[in-house]
Structure formats: structure tokens, C-alpha cells
Coordinates of all heavy atoms in Angstrom, one line a residue:
M5 N 0.9 -1.1 0.0 CA 0.0 0.0 0.0 C 0.9 1.3 0.1 O 1.8 1.4 0.8 CB -0.9 0.0 1.2 CG -1.9 1.0 1.3 SD -2.9 0.7 2.7 CE -4.3 1.6 2.2
A6 N 0.6 2.1 -0.9 CA 1.5 3.4 -1.1 C 0.9 4.5 -0.2 O -0.3 4.6 0.0 CB 1.5 3.8 -2.5
V7 N 1.8 5.2 0.4 CA 1.4 6.4 1.3 C 1.3 7.6 0.3 O 2.1 7.8 -0.5 CB 2.5 6.6 2.3 CG1 2.2 7.8 3.1 CG2 2.8 5.5 3.2
A8 N 0.1 8.3 0.5 CA -0.2 9.4 -0.3 C 0.7 10.6 0.1 O 0.8 10.9 1.3 CB -1.7 9.8 -0.2
K9 N 1.3 11.2 -0.9 CA 2.1 12.4 -0.5 C 1.1 13.7 -0.4 O 0.2 13.8 -1.2 CB 3.1 12.6 -1.7 CG 4.1 11.6 -1.8 CD 5.1 12.0 -3.0 CE 6.1 10.9 -3.1 NZ 7.0 11.1 -4.2
P10 N 1.5 14.5 0.5 CA 0.6 15.8 0.6 C 0.8 16.6 -0.6 O 1.9 16.6 -1.2 CB 1.2 16.5 1.9 CG 2.6 15.8 2.1 CD 2.6 14.5 1.4
P11 N -0.2 17.3 -1.0 CA -0.1 18.2 -2.1 C 1.0 19.3 -2.0 O 1.4 19.6 -0.9 CB -1.5 18.9 -2.2 CG -2.4 18.1 -1.4 CD -1.5 17.4 -0.4
L12 N 1.5 19.7 -3.1 CA 2.6 20.7 -3.0 C 2.2 22.0 -2.4 O 2.9 22.6 -1.6 CB 3.0 21.0 -4.5 CG 4.2 22.0 -4.6 CD1 5.4 21.5 -3.9 CD2 4.5 22.2 -6.1
Q13 N 0.9 22.4 -2.5 CA 0.5 23.6 -1.8 C 0.4 23.4 -0.3 O 0.8 24.4 0.4 CB -1.0 23.9 -2.3 CG -1.1 24.3 -3.8 CD -2.5 24.6 -4.2 OE1 -3.4 24.0 -3.6 NE2 -2.7 25.3 -5.3
T14 N 0.1 22.3 0.2 CA 0.1 22.0 1.6 C 1.5 22.2 2.2 O 1.8 22.7 3.2 CB -0.5 20.7 2.0 OG1 -1.8 20.6 1.4 CG2 -0.6 20.5 3.5
A15 N 2.4 21.6 1.5 CA 3.8 21.7 1.9 C 4.4 23.1 1.9 O 5.1 23.5 2.8 CB 4.7 20.7 1.0
A16 N 4.0 23.8 0.9 CA 4.4 25.2 0.8 C 3.8 26.0 1.9 O 4.5 26.8 2.6 CB 4.0 25.8 -0.5
V17 N 2.6 25.8 2.3 CA 1.9 26.5 3.4 C 2.6 26.2 4.7 O 2.9 27.1 5.6 CB 0.4 26.2 3.4 CG1 -0.2 26.8 4.7 CG2 -0.3 26.9 2.2
L18 N 2.9 24.9 4.9 CA 3.5 24.5 6.1 C 5.0 25.1 6.3 O 5.3 25.5 7.4 CB 3.6 23.0 6.2 CG 2.3 22.3 6.5 CD1 2.4 20.8 6.4 CD2 1.7 22.6 7.8
L19 N 5.6 25.1 5.2 CA 7.0 25.7 5.2 C 6.9 27.2 5.5 O 7.7 27.7 6.3 CB 7.7 25.5 3.9 CG 9.1 26.0 3.7 CD1 10.0 25.4 4.7 CD2 9.6 25.9 2.3
L20 N 6.0 27.9 4.9 CA 5.8 29.3 5.2 C 5.4 29.6 6.6 O 6.0 30.5 7.2 CB 4.7 29.9 4.2 CG 4.4 31.4 4.3 CD1 5.7 32.2 3.9 CD2 3.3 31.8 3.4
L21 N 4.6 28.8 7.2 CA 4.2 28.9 8.6 C 5.4 28.7 9.5 O 5.6 29.4 10.4 CB 3.1 27.9 8.9 CG 2.5 27.9 10.3 CD1 1.9 29.3 10.5 CD2 1.4 26.9 10.5
L22 N 6.2 27.7 9.2 CA 7.4 27.4 9.9 C 8.4 28.6 9.9 O 8.9 29.0 10.9 CB 8.1 26.1 9.5 CG 9.4 25.8 10.1 CD1 9.1 25.4 11.6 CD2 10.0 24.6 9.4
L23 N 8.6 29.2 8.7 CA 9.4 30.3 8.6 C 8.9 31.5 9.4 O 9.7 32.3 9.9 CB 9.6 30.7 7.1 CG 10.5 29.8 6.3 CD1 10.4 30.1 4.8 CD2 11.9 29.7 6.8
V24 N 7.6 31.8 9.3 CA 7.0 32.9 10.1 C 7.2 32.7 11.6 O 7.7 33.6 12.3 CB 5.6 33.1 9.7 CG1 4.9 34.0 10.7 CG2 5.4 33.5 8.3
V25 N 7.0 31.5 12.1 CA 7.2 31.2 13.5 C 8.7 31.4 14.0 O 9.0 32.0 14.9 CB 6.7 29.8 13.9 CG1 7.1 29.4 15.3 CG2 5.2 29.7 13.8
A26 N 9.6 30.9 13.1 CA 11.0 31.0 13.4 C 11.5 32.5 13.4 O 12.2 32.9 14.2 CB 11.8 30.2 12.4
A27 N 11.0 33.2 12.4 CA 11.3 34.7 12.3 C 10.8 35.4 13.5 O 11.5 36.3 14.0 CB 10.8 35.2 10.9
A28 N 9.5 35.1 13.9 CA 9.0 35.9 15.0 C 9.8 35.6 16.3 O 10.0 36.5 17.1 CB 7.5 35.4 15.2
S29 N 10.2 34.4 16.6 CA 10.9 34.0 17.8 C 12.3 34.7 17.7 O 12.8 35.3 18.7 CB 11.0 32.6 18.0 OG 11.8 32.0 17.0
W30 N 12.9 34.8 16.5 CA 14.3 35.4 16.4 C 14.1 36.9 16.6 O 14.9 37.5 17.4 CB 14.8 35.1 15.0 CG 16.1 35.7 14.8 CD1 17.3 35.4 15.3 CD2 16.4 37.0 14.1 NE1 18.3 36.2 14.9 CE2 17.7 37.2 14.1 CE3 15.5 37.9 13.4 CZ2 18.3 38.4 13.5 CZ3 16.1 39.0 12.8 CH2 17.5 39.2 12.8
L31 N 13.1 37.6 16.0 CA 13.0 39.0 16.2 C 12.6 39.3 17.7 O 13.0 40.4 18.1 CB 11.8 39.5 15.2 CG 12.1 39.5 13.8 CD1 10.9 39.9 13.0 CD2 13.2 40.6 13.6
Q32 N 11.9 38.5 18.3 CA 11.6 38.7 19.8 C 12.8 38.8 20.6 O 13.0 39.7 21.4 CB 10.6 37.8 20.3 CG 10.0 38.0 21.6 CD 8.9 37.0 22.0 OE1 8.9 35.9 21.6 NE2 8.0 37.4 22.8
T33 N 13.8 37.9 20.3 CA 15.0 37.8 21.2 C 15.9 39.0 20.8 O 16.4 39.6 21.7 CB 15.8 36.6 21.0 OG1 16.1 36.3 19.6 CG2 15.0 35.3 21.6
V34 N 16.0 39.4 19.5 CA 16.8 40.5 19.1 C 16.2 41.8 19.7 O 17.0 42.6 20.1 CB 16.9 40.6 17.6 CG1 17.4 41.9 17.1 CG2 17.7 39.4 17.0
D35 N 14.9 42.0 19.6 CA 14.3 43.1 20.1 C 14.5 43.3 21.6 O 14.7 44.4 22.1 CB 12.8 43.1 19.8 CG 12.1 44.5 20.0 OD1 12.8 45.5 19.7 OD2 10.9 44.5 20.4
A36 N 14.5 42.3 22.4 CA 14.6 42.3 23.8 C 16.0 42.8 24.2 O 16.2 43.7 25.0 CB 14.4 40.9 24.5
A37 N 17.0 42.3 23.4 CA 18.4 42.7 23.7 C 18.6 44.1 23.2 O 19.3 44.9 23.9 CB 19.4 41.7 23.0
S38 N 18.1 44.5 22.1 CA 18.3 45.7 21.5 C 17.7 46.9 22.3 O 18.2 48.1 22.1 CB 18.1 45.8 20.0 OG 16.6 45.6 19.8
G39 N 16.6 46.6 22.9 CA 16.0 47.7 23.7 C 16.9 48.1 24.8 O 17.1 49.4 25.0
F40 N 17.5 47.3 25.5 CA 18.6 47.6 26.5 C 19.7 48.4 25.9 O 20.1 49.4 26.3 CB 19.1 46.4 27.2 CG 20.3 46.6 28.0 CD1 20.2 47.2 29.3 CD2 21.6 46.3 27.5 CE1 21.3 47.4 30.1 CE2 22.7 46.5 28.3 CZ 22.6 47.1 29.6
C41 N 20.3 47.9 24.8 CA 21.4 48.5 24.1 C 21.0 49.8 23.4 O 21.8 50.7 23.6 CB 22.0 47.5 23.0 SG 22.7 46.0 23.8
S42 N 19.9 49.9 22.8 CA 19.5 51.2 22.3 C 19.4 52.3 23.2 O 19.8 53.4 23.0 CB 18.3 51.1 21.4 OG 17.2 50.8 22.1
S43 N 18.9 52.0 24.4 CA 18.7 53.0 25.4 C 20.1 53.4 26.0 O 20.3 54.6 26.2 CB 17.8 52.6 26.5 OG 18.3 51.6 27.2
K44 N 20.9 52.5 26.2 CA 22.3 52.8 26.7 C 23.1 53.5 25.7 O 23.8 54.5 26.1 CB 23.0 51.5 27.2 CG 22.4 50.8 28.3 CD 22.5 51.6 29.6 CE 22.1 50.8 30.8 NZ 22.4 51.5 32.1
C45 N 23.1 53.1 24.4 CA 23.8 53.7 23.4 C 23.3 55.1 23.1 O 24.1 56.0 22.7 CB 23.9 52.8 22.2 SG 24.8 51.3 22.4
S46 N 22.0 55.3 23.2 CA 21.5 56.7 23.0 C 22.1 57.7 23.9 O 22.4 58.8 23.5 CB 20.0 56.7 23.1 OG 19.4 55.9 22.0
V47 N 22.2 57.3 25.1 CA 22.8 58.2 26.1 C 24.3 58.4 25.8 O 24.8 59.5 25.7 CB 22.7 57.5 27.6 CG1 23.5 58.3 28.6 CG2 21.3 57.5 27.9
R48 N 25.0 57.3 25.5 CA 26.5 57.4 25.2 C 26.7 58.2 23.9 O 27.7 58.9 23.8 CB 27.0 56.0 25.1 CG 28.5 56.0 25.0 CD 29.2 54.7 25.3 NE 30.6 54.7 25.2 CZ 31.4 54.9 26.2 NH1 30.9 55.1 27.5 NH2 32.7 54.9 26.1
C49 N 25.9 58.0 22.9 CA 26.2 58.6 21.6 C 25.4 60.0 21.4 O 25.4 60.6 20.3 CB 25.8 57.7 20.4 SG 26.8 56.2 20.5
G50 N 24.7 60.4 22.5 CA 23.8 61.6 22.4 C 24.5 62.9 22.0 O 23.9 63.8 21.5
R51 N 25.8 63.0 22.3 CA 26.4 64.2 22.1 C 27.3 64.2 20.8 O 28.3 65.0 20.7 CB 27.4 64.5 23.3 CG 26.6 64.8 24.5 CD 27.5 65.3 25.7 NE 26.7 65.5 26.8 CZ 27.0 66.3 27.8 NH1 28.2 66.9 27.8 NH2 26.2 66.5 28.9
A52 N 27.0 63.3 20.0 CA 27.8 63.2 18.7 C 27.6 64.6 17.9 O 26.5 65.1 18.0 CB 27.4 62.1 17.9
A53 N 28.6 65.0 17.2 CA 28.6 66.3 16.5 C 27.5 66.3 15.4 O 26.9 67.4 15.2 CB 30.0 66.6 15.9
S54 N 27.2 65.2 14.7 CA 26.3 65.3 13.6 C 25.4 64.1 13.6 O 25.7 63.1 14.3 CB 27.0 65.4 12.2 OG 27.8 64.2 12.0
A55 N 24.4 64.1 12.8 CA 23.6 62.9 12.7 C 24.3 61.7 12.1 O 24.1 60.6 12.5 CB 22.3 63.3 11.7
R56 N 25.2 62.0 11.1 CA 26.1 60.9 10.6 C 26.9 60.3 11.6 O 27.1 59.1 11.7 CB 26.9 61.5 9.4 CG 27.7 60.5 8.7 CD 28.4 61.1 7.5 NE 29.1 60.0 6.7 CZ 29.8 60.2 5.7 NH1 29.8 61.5 5.2 NH2 30.4 59.3 5.1
A57 N 27.6 61.1 12.4 CA 28.5 60.6 13.5 C 27.6 59.9 14.6 O 28.1 58.9 15.1 CB 29.2 61.7 14.2
R58 N 26.5 60.4 14.9 CA 25.6 59.7 15.8 C 25.2 58.3 15.3 O 25.1 57.4 16.0 CB 24.3 60.6 16.0 CG 23.5 60.1 17.2 CD 22.4 61.1 17.6 NE 22.9 62.5 17.8 CZ 22.6 63.5 17.0 NH1 21.9 63.4 16.0 NH2 23.2 64.7 17.2
G59 N 24.9 58.3 14.0 CA 24.5 57.0 13.4 C 25.6 56.0 13.5 O 25.4 54.8 13.8
A60 N 26.8 56.4 13.2 CA 28.0 55.5 13.2 C 28.2 55.1 14.7 O 28.6 54.0 15.0 CB 29.2 56.2 12.7
C61 N 28.1 56.0 15.6 CA 28.3 55.7 17.0 C 27.3 54.7 17.5 O 27.6 53.7 18.1 CB 28.2 57.0 17.8 SG 28.4 56.7 19.6
M62 N 26.0 54.9 17.1 CA 25.0 54.0 17.5 C 25.2 52.5 17.0 O 25.0 51.6 17.7 CB 23.6 54.5 17.1 CG 23.1 55.7 17.9 SD 22.7 55.3 19.6 CE 21.2 54.3 19.4
R63 N 25.6 52.5 15.7 CA 25.9 51.2 15.1 C 27.0 50.4 15.9 O 26.9 49.3 16.2 CB 26.3 51.4 13.6 CG 25.3 50.8 12.7 CD 25.8 50.9 11.2 NE 26.6 52.0 10.8 CZ 26.2 53.2 10.5 NH1 24.9 53.5 10.6 NH2 27.0 54.1 10.2
S64 N 28.1 51.1 16.1 CA 29.3 50.5 16.7 C 28.9 50.2 18.2 O 29.3 49.1 18.6 CB 30.4 51.5 16.7 OG 30.9 51.8 15.4
C65 N 28.3 51.1 18.8 CA 27.9 50.9 20.3 C 27.0 49.7 20.3 O 27.1 48.9 21.3 CB 27.3 52.1 20.8 SG 26.8 52.0 22.5
G66 N 26.0 49.6 19.5 CA 25.0 48.5 19.5 C 25.7 47.2 19.3 O 25.4 46.2 20.0
L67 N 26.7 47.1 18.4 CA 27.4 45.8 18.2 C 28.2 45.5 19.4 O 28.3 44.3 19.8 CB 28.3 45.9 17.0 CG 27.7 46.0 15.6 CD1 28.7 46.4 14.5 CD2 27.0 44.7 15.3
C68 N 28.8 46.4 20.0 CA 29.7 46.2 21.2 C 28.8 45.8 22.4 O 29.1 44.8 23.1 CB 30.5 47.4 21.5 SG 31.8 47.8 20.3
C69 N 27.6 46.5 22.5 CA 26.7 46.1 23.6 C 26.1 44.7 23.4 O 26.0 44.0 24.4 CB 25.6 47.2 23.6 SG 24.3 46.8 24.9
E70 N 25.8 44.3 22.3 CA 25.2 43.0 22.0 C 26.3 42.0 22.4 O 26.0 40.9 22.9 CB 24.9 42.8 20.5 CG 23.6 43.6 20.1 CD 22.4 43.2 20.7 OE1 22.2 42.1 21.0 OE2 21.5 44.0 20.8
E71 N 27.6 42.2 22.1 CA 28.6 41.2 22.4 C 28.9 41.3 23.9 O 29.2 40.2 24.5 CB 29.9 41.7 21.6 CG 31.0 40.8 21.9 CD 30.9 39.5 21.1 OE1 30.2 39.3 20.1 OE2 31.6 38.5 21.6
C72 N 29.0 42.4 24.5 CA 29.4 42.5 25.9 C 28.2 42.6 27.0 O 28.5 42.4 28.1 CB 30.2 43.8 26.1 SG 31.7 43.8 25.1
N73 N 27.0 42.9 26.5 CA 25.9 43.0 27.4 C 26.1 44.1 28.5 O 25.5 44.1 29.5 CB 25.6 41.7 28.1 CG 25.2 40.6 27.1 OD1 24.4 40.9 26.3 ND2 25.7 39.4 27.3
C74 N 26.8 45.1 28.0 CA 27.0 46.3 28.9 C 27.5 47.5 28.1 O 28.1 47.3 27.0 CB 28.0 46.1 30.1 SG 29.6 45.7 29.6
V75 N 27.3 48.7 28.6 CA 27.8 49.9 27.9 C 28.2 50.8 29.0 O 27.4 51.1 29.9 CB 26.7 50.6 27.1 CG1 27.2 51.9 26.5 CG2 26.3 49.7 25.9
P76 N 29.4 51.3 29.0 CA 29.8 52.3 30.1 C 29.0 53.5 30.0 O 28.6 54.0 28.9 CB 31.3 52.5 29.9 CG 31.7 51.5 28.9 CD 30.5 51.0 28.2
T77 N 28.7 54.1 31.2 CA 27.9 55.3 31.2 C 28.6 56.5 30.5 O 28.0 57.2 29.7 CB 27.5 55.7 32.6 OG1 28.6 55.8 33.4 CG2 26.5 54.7 33.1
R78 N 29.8 56.7 30.8 CA 30.6 57.8 30.3 C 32.0 57.3 29.9 O 32.6 56.5 30.6 CB 30.8 59.0 31.2 CG 29.5 59.7 31.5 CD 29.7 60.9 32.3 NE 28.5 61.4 32.7 CZ 28.3 62.2 33.7 NH1 29.4 62.5 34.5 NH2 27.2 62.8 34.0
P79 N 32.6 57.8 28.8 CA 34.0 57.3 28.5 C 35.1 57.5 29.5 O 35.9 56.6 29.7 CB 34.3 58.2 27.2 CG 33.1 58.7 26.7 CD 32.1 58.8 27.9
S80 N 35.1 58.5 30.2 CA 36.1 58.8 31.2 C 35.8 58.5 32.7 O 36.6 58.7 33.5 CB 36.6 60.3 31.1 OG 35.6 61.1 31.3
R81 N 34.6 58.1 32.8 CA 34.1 57.9 34.2 C 34.8 56.7 35.0 O 35.8 57.0 35.8 CB 32.6 57.6 34.2 CG 31.9 57.8 35.5 CD 31.8 59.2 35.8 NE 30.5 59.6 36.3 CZ 30.2 60.4 37.2 NH1 31.1 61.0 37.8 NH2 29.0 60.6 37.6
D82 N 34.5 55.5 34.7 CA 35.1 54.4 35.4 C 35.6 53.4 34.3 O 34.7 52.8 33.7 CB 34.0 53.8 36.4 CG 34.6 52.6 37.1 OD1 35.8 52.4 37.1 OD2 33.8 51.8 37.7
V83 N 36.8 53.3 34.2 CA 37.4 52.5 33.2 C 37.2 51.0 33.4 O 37.2 50.2 32.4 CB 39.0 52.7 33.0 CG1 39.2 54.1 32.5 CG2 39.7 52.4 34.3
N84 N 36.8 50.6 34.6 CA 36.6 49.2 34.9 C 35.0 48.8 34.9 O 34.7 47.7 35.2 CB 37.1 48.8 36.1 CG 38.6 48.8 36.1 OD1 39.3 48.5 35.2 ND2 39.2 49.4 37.2
E85 N 34.2 49.8 34.5 CA 32.8 49.6 34.5 C 32.3 48.5 33.5 O 31.4 47.7 33.8 CB 32.0 50.9 34.2 CG 30.5 50.8 34.3 CD 29.8 52.2 34.0 OE1 30.6 53.2 33.9 OE2 28.6 52.2 34.0
C86 N 32.9 48.4 32.4 CA 32.6 47.5 31.3 C 33.9 47.1 30.6 O 34.1 47.6 29.5 CB 31.5 48.0 30.4 SG 30.9 46.8 29.2
P87 N 34.8 46.2 31.1 CA 36.0 46.0 30.5 C 35.9 45.3 29.2 O 36.8 45.6 28.3 CB 36.7 44.9 31.5 CG 35.7 44.7 32.5 CD 34.5 45.5 32.4
C88 N 34.9 44.5 28.9 CA 34.7 43.9 27.6 C 34.5 45.0 26.5 O 35.2 45.0 25.4 CB 33.5 43.0 27.6 SG 33.0 42.4 26.0
Y89 N 33.7 45.9 26.8 CA 33.4 47.1 25.9 C 34.7 47.9 25.7 O 35.0 48.2 24.6 CB 32.3 47.9 26.5 CG 31.7 49.0 25.6 CD1 30.6 48.8 24.9 CD2 32.3 50.2 25.5 CE1 30.0 49.8 24.1 CE2 31.9 51.2 24.7 CZ 30.7 51.0 24.0 OH 30.1 52.0 23.2
R90 N 35.4 48.1 26.8 CA 36.6 48.9 26.7 C 37.7 48.2 25.9 O 38.5 48.9 25.2 CB 37.1 49.2 28.1 CG 38.4 49.9 28.2 CD 39.0 49.8 29.6 NE 39.4 48.4 29.8 CZ 39.4 47.8 31.0 NH1 39.1 48.5 32.1 NH2 39.8 46.6 31.1
D91 N 37.8 46.9 26.0 CA 38.9 46.2 25.4 C 38.7 45.7 24.0 O 39.7 45.1 23.4 CB 39.3 45.0 26.3 CG 39.8 45.5 27.7 OD1 40.2 46.7 27.8 OD2 39.8 44.7 28.6
M92 N 37.5 45.8 23.4 CA 37.3 45.4 22.0 C 38.1 46.3 21.0 O 38.1 47.5 21.1 CB 35.8 45.5 21.7 CG 35.0 44.3 22.3 SD 33.3 44.3 21.9 CE 33.4 43.4 20.3
L93 N 38.7 45.5 20.1 CA 39.6 46.2 19.1 C 39.2 45.8 17.7 O 38.6 44.8 17.5 CB 41.1 45.7 19.3 CG 41.7 46.1 20.7 CD1 43.1 45.4 20.8 CD2 41.8 47.6 20.9
T94 N 39.5 46.7 16.8 CA 39.1 46.5 15.4 C 40.1 45.4 14.8 O 41.1 45.1 15.3 CB 39.3 47.8 14.5 OG1 40.7 48.2 14.7 CG2 38.4 48.9 15.0
A95 N 39.5 44.8 13.7 CA 40.4 43.7 13.1 C 41.4 44.5 12.1 O 41.3 45.7 11.8 CB 39.5 42.8 12.2
G96 N 42.4 43.7 11.8 CA 43.4 44.2 10.8 C 44.7 44.6 11.5 O 44.9 44.4 12.8
P97 N 45.6 45.1 10.8 CA 47.0 45.3 11.4 C 47.0 46.5 12.5 O 47.7 46.5 13.4 CB 47.9 45.7 10.2 CG 46.9 46.1 9.2 CD 45.6 45.4 9.4
R98 N 46.0 47.5 12.2 CA 46.0 48.6 13.2 C 44.9 48.3 14.2 O 43.7 48.5 13.9 CB 45.7 49.9 12.5 CG 46.8 50.4 11.6 CD 46.4 51.7 10.9 NE 46.1 52.7 11.9 CZ 45.4 53.8 11.7 NH1 44.9 54.0 10.4 NH2 45.2 54.7 12.6
K99 N 45.3 47.9 15.4 CA 44.3 47.6 16.4 C 43.9 48.8 17.1 O 44.7 49.4 17.9 CB 44.9 46.6 17.4 CG 45.4 45.3 16.8 CD 44.3 44.5 16.4 CE 44.7 43.1 15.9 NZ 43.8 42.4 15.2
R100 N 42.7 49.3 16.8 CA 42.1 50.5 17.5 C 40.9 50.1 18.2 O 40.3 49.1 18.0 CB 41.7 51.5 16.4 CG 42.9 52.1 15.6 CD 42.5 53.0 14.5 NE 41.7 52.2 13.5 CZ 41.0 52.8 12.6 NH1 40.8 54.1 12.6 NH2 40.3 52.1 11.7
P101 N 40.6 50.9 19.2 CA 39.3 50.7 20.0 C 38.1 50.5 19.0 O 37.9 51.4 18.2 CB 39.2 51.8 20.9 CG 40.6 52.4 21.1 CD 41.2 52.1 19.8
K102 N 37.3 49.5 19.2 CA 36.2 49.3 18.3 C 34.9 50.1 18.8 O 34.2 50.5 18.0 CB 35.9 47.8 18.2 CG 34.7 47.5 17.3 CD 34.5 46.0 17.2 CE 33.5 45.6 16.3 NZ 33.3 44.2 16.1
C103 N 34.8 50.2 20.1 CA 33.6 50.6 20.7 C 33.7 52.2 21.1 O 34.8 52.5 21.6 CB 33.3 49.9 21.9 SG 33.2 48.1 21.6
P104 N 32.7 52.9 20.7 CA 32.8 54.3 21.0 C 32.6 54.7 22.5 O 32.1 54.0 23.2 CB 31.7 55.0 20.1 CG 30.7 53.9 20.0 CD 31.5 52.6 20.0

């Protein structure tokens, strides 16, 4: 006795449903983390000279915050407040601080 295969439309609908559920759960975890980071980075990058500089600061700060789960309140305040953030360096031959 042969097993009947589900129609192609049913398989496509199930795949689409699976993708929607997976995307929703991924976005929920990203949004929870980025809410913390965006508020901390907004404070840290708030005094940037221009909108372009502020955008670059927010991008870098967000990446560092996601990696370190912390953002120092002020650059010169307490150097040990977030050592992971402080010690991240750029890739390449010139190792410069990655986080603003």
C-alpha cells in the first residue's frame, strides 16, 4: 500500500508557517536585547557632532553592547565599568578601539 504524498500547496503553506514562527521568535529575542542596548547607546552617543556621527556611534555601540551586554555610562568615568566594551579592538593590522 502506497502512502499518499501531501499536495505541493500544503507543503508550501507548512514551510511558510514554519518560517514565520522562526522569524517571530528570532525577532523577539533580538528586540529584547536591542531595547537595552539602544537606550544605553542613545545616552552614550547623544552628544555626537552630527547625525552621521551619531548613526555611526549607535551602530558601533550596538554591536559592542550585544557582544558585551553592557555599555559604560561615560567614556572617562570608570574604566573598569565594562572591561569587555573597553577592550574590544578592530580587526586588521591597526588595532584601534572598536567601541565608541
Side-chain angles (χ1 to χ4, degrees):
M5 184 173 209
V7 177
K9 293 182 181 179
L12 184 58
Q13 290 176 340
T14 305
V17 169
L18 289 174
L19 180 62
L20 183 63
L21 183 62
L22 179 66
L23 287 173
V24 168
V25 169
S29 64
W30 179 77
L31 286 173
Q32 191 175 24
T33 58
V34 167
D35 192 37
S38 65
F40 167 78
C41 291
S42 66
S43 65
K44 294 290 188 177
C45 290
S46 291
V47 171
R48 188 162 179 94
C49 298
R51 294 186 180 200
S54 67
R56 185 175 181 181
R58 191 173 305 113
C61 180
M62 289 293 290
R63 249 187 325 278
S64 299
C65 180
L67 291 172
C68 295
C69 177
E70 293 290 330
E71 181 75 24
C72 297
N73 295 318
C74 62
V75 175
T77 51
R78 293 188 187 157
S80 60
R81 197 72 135 141
D82 182 10
V83 293
N84 296 319
E85 186 177 353
C86 185
C88 169
Y89 189 98
R90 178 196 66 212
D91 297 338
M92 286 184 85
L93 301 173
T94 58
R98 292 181 58 203
K99 303 290 186 193
R100 295 179 291 163
K102 181 176 185 175
C103 307

